[in-house]
Amino acid sequence: MLPNTYLLNSVTTELRVKITKPSQTRPLLRLVKTPEKLQQAVTSAAQEKLFPTASDFAKAVQQVAPTTKRLTKKEENQT
C-alpha cells in the first residue's frame, strides 16, 4: 500500500480523484520516478473516460513511456 500512497502524492489533486482503486495504480507505478510523465499518463486516461479503468491507465502509460521489446539470445545472434 505504501507505493500507492507515494504515487497518489505525486499526482495533482484534480487527477487524484480519477484513481479510485489500488488496482488502477499498478500500471502507473513505472512512472513514479518521472512525475511529469505520470501526470501526462493520468491526464491522457482521464480524457478518454470520465472514470478510467486499470486497462485505460495501462494504455496511457504505454503511450507515454513505451517499453522496448527484449531480445532473446537466439534473436540477438540473428541480428
Side-chain angles (χ1 to χ4, degrees):
M1 205 58 188
L2 184 63
N4 295 343
T5 306
Y6 185 71
L7 181 118
L8 290 175
N9 290 338
S10 301
V11 179
T12 61
T13 309
E14 303 88 41
L15 297 176
R16 194 176 301 158
V17 177
K18 302 296 181 182
I19 303 171
T20 57
K21 299 177 185 174
S23 63
Q24 294 171 331
T25 61
R26 288 185 197 118
L28 299 170
L29 287 175
R30 274 188 33 216
L31 302 177
V32 167
K33 293 183 180 178
T34 54
E36 59 278 345
K37 287 186 178 184
L38 177 63
Q39 299 278 354
Q40 189 178 0
V42 175
T43 303
S44 174
Q47 286 176 348
E48 292 181 20
K49 288 186 178 178
L50 185 58
F51 292 103
T53 62
S55 62
D56 296 327
F57 284 117
K59 188 179 1 170
V61 167
Q62 195 65 5
Q63 291 172 349
V64 171
T67 56
T68 58
K69 183 183 176 211
R70 296 182 184 192
L71 297 176
T72 62
K73 289 184 180 184
K74 185 177 181 180
E75 291 174 335
E76 285 177 1
N77 292 335
Q78 291 177 353
T79 57

